[in-house]
Amino acid sequence: EAQVTQNPRYLITVTGKKLTVTCSQNMNHEYMSWYRQDPGLGLRQIYYSMNVEVTDKGDVPEGYKVSRKEKRNFPLILESPSPNQTSLYFCASSSTRAIYEQYFGPGTRLTVT
Amino acid sequence: AQTVTQSQPEMSVQEAETVTLSCTYDTSESDYYLFWYKQPPSRQMILVIRQEAYKQQNATENRFSVNFQKAAKSFSLKISDSQLGDAAMYFCAYRSLNAGNMLTFGGGTRLMVKP
């Protein structure tokens, strides 16, 4: 089954404790991205990657890091989480041949206290 | 930068009736894609319908159709014969052809369906 998976689905952590949210897709997609969803703001892009070892900033990259060492994986790293990073996070992927459609993961609910 | 605006935070519709969700966007580009996504309580983002800006014909997917007014930069979603399962958050999104695959989302509209 074609899918995007994220782990963990729920995470509660404390300020300053480094964390990683994993994202993996099994569709051999070139493009992957991370979004955060906040009430009234829709989804805003954090980082995206056009292919392995190619990443770029989205609209709200501050406080986040990403890496793309393998085509299927695109982890999101919060080196020193802060309460304003409490949000719902989505990973998405798409093929550059079918650029009109992005497949979204199930979301990760992160709470930073 | 592009912006997408959904002016209706909440909408409600009676089961079997028709409802229209509004979306406007701002862009200086001539070619782009527009989407409507549905987010049910499960939080999964589900693509409902898409529209290529170069196509004049409005997209239709079963009970879902759009009214795309390019000059007015308007992209509304019409849901016919509303069903209880249509209750969800709906997001309008814009995709530039010149900015990778980045989607710019509106703030969302919560649709409630009354039995």
Side-chain angles (χ1 to χ4, degrees):
Chain A
E1 178 189 356
Q3 61 181 350
V4 178
T5 57
Q6 294 178 226
N7 282 291
R9 296 288 309 279
Y10 301 90
L11 179 60
I12 301 174
T13 189
V14 296
T15 299
K17 185 177 181 181
K18 180 179 178 180
L19 67 92
T20 299
V21 184
T22 64
C23 173
S24 182
Q25 49 93 6
N26 62 0
M27 296 166 279
N28 201 35
H29 284 166
E30 297 84 6
Y31 178 87
M32 297 184 76
S33 66
W34 278 102
Y35 295 87
R36 61 176 288 173
Q37 182 181 359
D38 302 289
L41 298 177
L43 280 75
R44 293 177 293 167
Q45 192 178 54
I46 303 170
Y47 269 95
Y48 66 94
S49 169
M50 297 297 288
N51 215 323
V52 176
E53 301 292 1
V54 181
T55 63
D56 209 344
K57 296 176 181 179
D59 286 335
V60 288
E62 295 77 19
Y64 304 94
K65 284 177 57 179
V66 293
S67 68
R68 187 90 181 274
K69 300 188 187 309
E70 303 168 283
K71 197 172 186 180
R72 62 183 292 126
N73 296 322
F74 190 45
L76 179 69
I77 303 158
L78 284 72
E79 294 271 2
S80 182
S82 62
N84 65 12
Q85 292 178 298
T86 293
S87 188
L88 178 58
Y89 291 86
F90 286 97
C91 179
S93 74
S94 66
S95 167
T96 51
R97 291 188 298 267
I99 57 177
Y100 47 78
E101 185 163 0
Q102 291 200 13
Y103 291 80
F104 282 82
T108 295
R109 170 70 70 185
L110 172 66
T111 301
V112 183
T113 61
Chain B
Q2 292 81 21
T3 58
V4 178
T5 302
Q6 294 178 246
S7 59
Q8 306 151 317
E10 281 191 1
M11 292 281 286
S12 66
V13 62
Q14 204 70 35
E15 195 175 6
E17 297 293 309
T18 296
V19 64
T20 298
L21 308 184
S22 300
C23 173
T24 59
Y25 57 95
D26 185 26
T27 185
S28 58
E29 299 176 330
S30 60
D31 205 7
Y32 45 86
Y33 291 96
L34 294 165
F35 306 88
W36 278 98
Y37 280 89
K38 172 185 178 181
Q39 188 182 43
S42 66
R43 304 181 316 187
Q44 188 76 4
M45 293 291 285
I46 302 166
L47 178 65
V48 174
I49 199 166
R50 73 171 189 270
Q51 174 81 42
E52 291 90 338
Y54 65 87
K55 290 185 177 179
Q56 293 187 335
Q57 187 174 5
N58 289 325
T60 298
E61 287 287 342
N62 301 313
R63 297 183 295 107
F64 298 87
S65 62
V66 299
N67 183 6
F68 174 49
Q69 302 287 329
K70 191 172 184 179
K73 297 178 183 175
S74 170
F75 182 61
S76 61
L77 174 70
K78 186 171 82 171
I79 307 174
S80 304
D81 186 24
S82 297
Q83 301 174 0
L84 295 178
D86 294 334
M89 282 290 288
Y90 286 82
F91 292 97
C92 178
Y94 172 103
R95 183 188 172 281
S96 167
L97 269 64
N98 300 319
N101 279 9
M102 186 174 83
L103 287 169
T104 301
F105 286 84
T109 297
R110 181 173 300 283
L111 178 66
M112 294 172 286
V113 181
K114 300 176 181 178

